[in-house]
């Protein structure tokens, strides 16, 4: 019997050694009956790596830190959403033609949308980096009102101007009336699990608190929020949904999201028991 052609999917980043994307995507491919493998590559040159997609006929690629913006100039096309956000986390290869997409905003909006109606609500977005941009895009697309809060004033103000929303400096965050808080900074990520970007006494005014960090699954921010009676949303769900949307773009099929969540969660628990902190991508 002739073996069917193995479909190759890849992760481009640096570092990638501790990424949980391979375990998540390979579990999904198996369940979806796709004869394929998802392989992490530690990339030295993103330009050469993109050339490799065509040369090796890689069907789909995830792009992570630090290449989400740098990769854009080497692709044939970029969809409107990724263009507006200014970052690509997914590449689709159709017969050598490479298109860039962004599924981070979908990961955020699917996670939020399962917990609430986004339309009409006010969201405090903490941070002004790439993840904040994906969050702003998703919230605006869903009809919500984002408010930016950032440590560095100039960066926050610049982003606020670009997206047409208000900005507050970190020390004035207590003055904002909002239903939802989303942390897009890395504060609280392993190994600094004792840190939170917001003091607990400022959390009581929010009904929902979301963290984009998924290692640990329950960050200090989410633990404090739970103690304050808020509904909490974890970065694990965002990670799973952004990955599931990638698989949908690559295969056209609906991926097994529950299984994907389960394998990532199991791996995170194993990491906690083992060497402690692990690097994550997002
Ligand atoms: P990403 O692309 O993943 O969003 P990034 O571009 O490095 O990452 O952005 C990280 C954001 O987290 C920034 O807005 C950063 O604030 P500054 O603009 O002031 O640098 C914010 N951030 C990181 N560490 C922080 C900390 N200890 N306290 C407050 N904000 C922090």
């Amino acid at each position: 019997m002739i073996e069917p052609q193995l479909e190759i999917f890849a992760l481009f980043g640096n570092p990638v050694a501790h990424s949980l994307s391979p375990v998540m995507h390979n579990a999904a491919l198996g369940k979806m009956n796709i004869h394929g493998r998802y392989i992490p590559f530690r990339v030295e040159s993103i330009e050469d790596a993109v050339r490799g997609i065509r040369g090796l006929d890689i069907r789909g690629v995830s792009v992570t830190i630090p290449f989400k913006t740098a990769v854009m100039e080497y692709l044939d096309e970029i969809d409107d959403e990724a263009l507006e956000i200014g970052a690509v986390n997914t590449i689709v290869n159709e017969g050598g033609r490479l298109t860039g997409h962004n599924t981070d905003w979908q990961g955020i909006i699917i996670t939020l949308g399962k917990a609430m109606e986004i339309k009409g609500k006010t969201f405090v977005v903490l941070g002004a980096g790439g993840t904040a941009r994906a969050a702003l895009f998703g919230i605006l697309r869903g009809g919500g009102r984002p408010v930016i809060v950032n440590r560095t004033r100039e960066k926050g103000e610049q982003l606020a101007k670009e997206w047409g929303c208000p900005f507050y400096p970190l020390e004035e965050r207590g003055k904002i009336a909002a239903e939802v808080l989303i942390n897009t900074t890395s504060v609280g990520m392993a190994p600094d699990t004792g840190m939170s970007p917001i003091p607990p006494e400022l959390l009581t005014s929010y009904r929902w608190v979301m963290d984009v960090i998924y290692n640990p699954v329950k960050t200090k921010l989410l633990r404090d929020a739970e103690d304050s009676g808020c509904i909490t949303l974890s970065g694990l769900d965002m990670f799973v949904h952004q990955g599931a949307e990638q698989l949908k773009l690559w295969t056209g099929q609906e991926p097994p999201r529950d299984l994907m969540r389960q394998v990532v969660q199991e791996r995170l628990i194993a990491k906690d028991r083992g060497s402690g902190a692990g690097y994550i991508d997002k």
Side-chain angles (χ1 to χ4, degrees):
M1 199 181 100
I2 299 168
E3 272 270 307
Q5 170 85 31
L6 186 72
E7 305 271 11
I8 300 293
F9 302 87
L11 169 65
F12 288 175
N14 195 350
V16 291
H18 298 282
S19 169
L20 293 175
S21 294
V23 69
M24 177 172 77
H25 281 304
N26 281 317
L29 289 169
K31 182 83 178 171
M32 292 162 85
N33 280 324
I34 291 169
H35 185 54
R37 290 283 182 287
Y38 180 97
I39 304 163
F41 289 95
R42 192 171 62 82
V43 167
E44 297 295 341
S45 155
I46 190 65
E47 183 179 3
D48 292 346
V50 169
R51 216 173 281 136
I53 302 173
R54 299 190 188 89
L56 300 170
D57 194 22
I58 294 173
R59 188 158 154 198
V61 176
S62 311
V63 182
T64 188
I65 293 167
F67 300 117
K68 286 187 185 183
T69 302
V71 74
M72 294 173 79
E73 66 175 292
Y74 305 112
L75 305 177
D76 300 306
E77 197 181 326
I78 294 176
D79 78 4
D80 291 345
E81 287 91 358
L83 209 56
E84 200 168 326
I85 294 165
V88 160
N89 78 328
T90 313
I91 302 170
V92 177
N93 180 4
E94 275 158 322
R97 185 171 176 76
L98 307 184
T99 309
H101 303 263
N102 186 307
T103 66
D104 286 332
W105 73 274
Q106 288 169 302
I108 293 169
I109 206 166
I110 293 169
T111 305
L112 292 173
K114 281 183 185 290
M116 72 189 75
E117 166 142 41
I118 294 167
K119 198 164 178 209
K121 290 201 174 57
T122 304
F123 296 75
V124 169
V125 176
L126 276 181
T131 314
R133 296 178 68 91
L136 292 176
F137 181 87
I139 292 163
L140 288 168
R141 184 56 81 90
R145 287 189 302 260
V147 177
I148 298 167
V149 172
N150 194 48
R151 177 180 60 180
T152 307
R153 189 180 193 117
E154 303 74 52
K155 232 165 114 183
E157 277 177 346
Q158 174 61 34
L159 195 64
K161 205 167 111 193
E162 199 180 320
W163 292 78
C165 51
F167 166 78
Y168 283 77
L170 206 55
E171 48 302 350
E172 286 177 30
R173 65 201 158 194
K175 293 185 186 163
I176 311 163
E179 289 99 333
V180 193
L181 173 78
I182 305 178
N183 174 45
T184 75
T185 77
S186 51
V187 182
M189 190 188 286
D192 297 319
T193 54
M195 310 257 286
S196 169
I198 290 273
E201 61 274 16
L202 288 184
L203 293 172
T204 47
S205 64
Y206 297 102
R207 172 109 195 267
W208 293 271
V209 174
M210 176 175 173
D211 208 328
V212 302
I213 296 169
Y214 67 82
N215 185 15
V217 177
K218 213 170 255 185
T219 55
K220 168 121 177 36
L221 172 67
L222 294 188
R223 279 185 275 130
D224 289 345
E226 237 174 47
D227 292 345
S228 303
C230 312
I231 301 166
T232 59
L233 309 171
S234 89
L236 176 59
D237 290 294
M238 174 194 165
F239 180 64
V240 167
H241 290 304
Q242 64 79 31
E245 294 301 318
Q246 295 185 319
L247 278 163
K248 234 163 102 174
L249 284 167
W250 296 330
T251 69
Q253 297 177 38
E254 175 55 32
R257 295 175 196 244
D258 290 343
L259 172 73
M260 292 163 75
R261 190 180 201 285
Q262 189 191 324
V263 295
V264 174
Q265 190 155 22
E266 277 167 10
R267 193 56 71 95
L268 283 167
I269 292 166
K271 267 188 184 184
D272 274 351
R273 284 206 206 100
S275 59
Y279 174 80
I280 62 146
D281 62 356
K282 59 178 183 176

